[in-house]
Amino acid sequence: RNGAGTEPGTGGVLVSGSGTVGKSTLVHEPHAGMLMSDDRSRVECGDSSVGSWVYSYMQTEAFRMMARARQYGHVVKHLEVFHLAELPIVDISDALADAFDRVVSQVFDLRDRSYRLRGSAEELYEDSLGIDLSTADLDSPVVVKSEELDRGRRRLDGYHYNPIVQQIHGSLTGSDLRIDTLGHLATEIFAPSRFKRRYGPGGTPYR
């Protein structure tokens, strides 16, 4: 069915209908309370026991190639609900479906745990630096003086003036903490070559 709406809800597989067409994910903890584009579809299985297999199958290059072959549009590509409904999927045995369910459930349990641990780490970071982001106003327009746009690199992208970033910088520079730059601490900062790198003996060394 179409994913129109603002919240992803619970359960099912979300499939991108534009951009990276056919990219999919299971709805899990990080999606709770998030606002999402309605340019997506939700796949819900009548038999929940095959949901993990359906998700796994949709991660394959074979599925994505079929999904891209169904898309339409000259400039902006789209994949609609009826396109997805026409795509073939391999039937598997109940035993294999159970095996997929166990593995995929374990993967997403670990992803959810990782998400919670990352949130705890962010809270520790904010507490240790005395940063309170709860007061950041994300609803009001960001006002920038024209003279600020004519300095340095002349940044015109809005994210450069992100109020949360400004608040973090203000908290750090206004504290008693010793602040250093990454360039001063790092032994080397470099851009990898544009060509494929082969690591290991005789190849590109790990850094």
Side-chain angles (χ1 to χ4, degrees):
R1 66 180 183 178
N2 187 270
T6 55
E7 295 188 12
T10 58
V13 182
L14 297 179
V15 185
S16 172
S18 65
T20 307
V21 172
K23 189 173 183 180
S24 60
T25 184
L26 279 176
V27 179
H28 63 122
E29 195 168 322
H31 299 134
M34 299 293 290
L35 298 180
M36 289 190 172
S37 165
D38 62 354
D39 203 357
R40 56 187 165 79
S41 298
R42 180 196 296 277
V43 177
E44 295 180 345
C45 300
D47 182 358
S48 59
S49 65
V50 299
S52 294
W53 158 243
V54 171
Y55 163 75
S56 301
Y57 180 73
M58 295 173 78
Q59 298 301 302
T60 64
E61 185 60 25
F63 174 84
R64 292 181 180 177
M65 289 177 64
M66 290 190 293
R68 289 193 292 267
R70 294 281 184 173
Q71 69 188 6
Y72 71 95
H74 179 61
V75 178
V76 180
K77 305 299 184 182
H78 291 283
L79 186 71
E80 301 291 354
V81 169
F82 62 88
H83 293 138
L84 283 173
E86 294 172 349
L87 293 177
I89 185 167
V90 178
D91 288 329
I92 60 175
S93 66
D94 292 344
L96 197 52
D98 290 341
F100 271 99
D101 190 52
R102 286 193 300 272
V103 173
V104 172
S105 295
Q106 182 182 19
V107 167
F108 277 87
D109 284 345
L110 291 173
R111 287 185 181 181
D112 286 342
R113 181 169 179 266
S114 173
Y115 172 73
R116 292 191 294 270
L117 288 173
R118 179 177 176 178
S120 298
E122 292 285 356
E123 291 177 2
L124 288 173
Y125 177 78
E126 293 173 13
D127 291 341
S128 63
L129 297 182
I131 299 173
D132 182 12
L133 299 181
S134 63
T135 59
D137 184 5
L138 299 180
D139 296 322
S140 300
V142 178
V143 179
V144 180
K145 294 181 179 180
S146 59
E147 62 183 21
E148 293 185 34
L149 301 177
D150 199 32
R151 298 174 184 168
R153 296 174 59 192
R154 299 183 180 181
R155 298 293 293 269
L156 297 178
D157 52 302
Y159 197 83
H160 180 67
Y161 305 97
N162 185 328
I164 289 183
V165 175
Q166 302 293 334
Q167 188 163 336
I168 292 174
H169 282 172
S171 298
L172 292 178
T173 55
S175 70
D176 295 329
L177 298 171
R178 177 184 173 183
I179 306 299
D180 215 333
T181 63
L182 181 60
H184 184 265
L185 295 175
T187 57
E188 184 180 10
I189 299 178
F190 64 97
S193 65
R194 294 184 302 163
F195 305 101
K196 185 169 183 177
R197 296 175 292 280
R198 299 186 181 279
Y199 295 102
T204 303
Y206 284 104
R207 293 176 182 254

